[in-house]
């Protein structure tokens, strides 16, 4: 197994990048710390698929914090985590690239159906990917094996079930499938490491030749 740490993004400066923007009155919300790693299986039979991972650690926001300004919407193509407030202030194309909610309401939900939160999501149709979630009863050892040695298993273990967006708690593990209108579906997983502080890991299996 080959692991490569590609970047740690700790509390970004207030420059408007990746959804971290100043609040009215000059107050700013700290940006989560995001650590990205890539795992490529050593065994040649499985090495055609690698696993991209993001570990996201949110700070403990004070009571009364505006939930619209907490970075919560994740984009798999670039690892960006943005707030509803940020996305609603950007062109629709920025929202169209996003995939799912992670933090808000302790619920996993595809961006495409966040009509109350994202003004550009309503009516977007096939301009946005559909994402589905399955809760699974995998041990941490099994999940680690999938991430580091057999990323292709994220697809092999997937079962279409069309369940409602899941509310999660600490220790939960989910598989997800991204239905892309013009491209091949993608598969991955999500692990709820901790609720306080909120720590979530996202895993995405991609061909080894793909660069993200």
């Amino acid at each position: 197994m080959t692991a490569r740490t590609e970047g740690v993004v700790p509390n970004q400066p207030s420059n408007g990048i990746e959804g971290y923007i100043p609040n009215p009155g000059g107050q700013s919300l700290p940006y989560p710390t995001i650590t990205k790693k890539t795992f490529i299986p050593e065994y040649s039979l499985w090495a055609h698929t690698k696993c991209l991972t993001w570990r996201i650690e949110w700070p403990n926001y004070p009571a009364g914090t505006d939930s619209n300004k907490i970075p919560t919407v994740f984009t798999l193509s670039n690892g960006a985590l943005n707030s509803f407030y940020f996305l609603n202030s950007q062109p629709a194309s920025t929202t169209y690239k996003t995939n799912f909610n992670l933090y808000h309401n302790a619920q996993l939900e595809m961006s495409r159906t966040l009509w109350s939160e994202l003004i550009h999501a309503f009516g977007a149709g096939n301009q946005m990917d559909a994402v589905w979630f399955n809760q699974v009863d995998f041990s941490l050892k099994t999940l680690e094996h999938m991430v580091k040695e057999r990323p292709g298993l994220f697809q092999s273990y997937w079962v279409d079930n069309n369940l409602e967006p899941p509310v999660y708690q600490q220790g939960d593990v989910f598989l997800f499938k991204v239905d892309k209108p013009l491209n091949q579906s993608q598969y991955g997983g999500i692990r709820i490491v901790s609720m306080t502080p909120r720590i979530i890991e996202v895993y995405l299996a991609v061909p080894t030749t793909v660069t993200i």
Side-chain angles (χ1 to χ4, degrees), residues 48-49 76 99 129-130 152 155 177-187 204-207 209-210:
H48 57 81
T49 303
L76 289 164
N99 294 106
D129 298 338
Q155 178 175 358
K177 175 184 178 182
V178 182
D179 284 330
K180 307 181 76 64
L182 301 177
N183 297 296
Q184 188 174 3
S185 296
Q186 293 181 317
Y187 298 85
L204 179 66
V206 297
T209 54
V210 170

Side-chain angles (χ1 to χ4, degrees), residues 54-56 140 143 189-193 199-203:
W54 296 268
R55 181 181 175 92
I56 307 168
L140 184 56
L143 187 60
I190 296 171
R191 175 181 170 232
I192 312 304
V193 179
I199 302 174
I200 297 177
E201 294 180 344
V202 179
Y203 320 111

Side-chain angles (χ1 to χ4, degrees), residues 50-113:
K50 64 183 176 182
C51 191
L52 309 179
T53 71
W54 296 268
R55 181 181 175 92
I56 307 168
E57 303 181 39
W58 284 264
N60 287 321
Y61 297 112
T65 296
D66 186 347
S67 61
N68 286 316
K69 295 175 182 176
I70 296 176
T72 186
V73 183
F74 195 71
T75 302
L76 289 164
S77 63
N78 59 9
L81 187 72
N82 292 309
S83 67
F84 299 137
Y85 182 78
F86 175 82
L87 292 171
N88 290 337
S89 70
Q90 300 300 302
S93 58
T94 305
T95 296
Y96 293 167
K97 295 174 184 177
T98 68
N99 294 106
F100 45 74
N101 173 72
L102 285 173
Y103 186 98
H104 184 66
N105 288 337
Q107 186 174 34
L108 305 178
E109 183 172 358
M110 70 174 101
S111 302
R112 184 172 168 175
T113 59

Side-chain angles (χ1 to χ4, degrees), residues 136-155:
V136 292
D137 186 21
F138 289 168
S139 68
L140 184 56
K141 183 177 180 180
T142 296
L143 187 60
E144 184 177 10
H145 174 71
M146 293 168 64
V147 168
K148 295 181 177 181
E149 303 296 344
R150 294 285 303 278
L153 291 178
F154 284 105
Q155 178 175 358

Side-chain angles (χ1 to χ4, degrees), residues 26-42:
Q27 292 297 109
S28 299
L29 291 184
Y31 193 80
T33 297
I34 303 177
T35 305
K36 180 184 177 183
K37 293 184 179 181
T38 300
F39 293 94
I40 302 174
E42 287 184 349

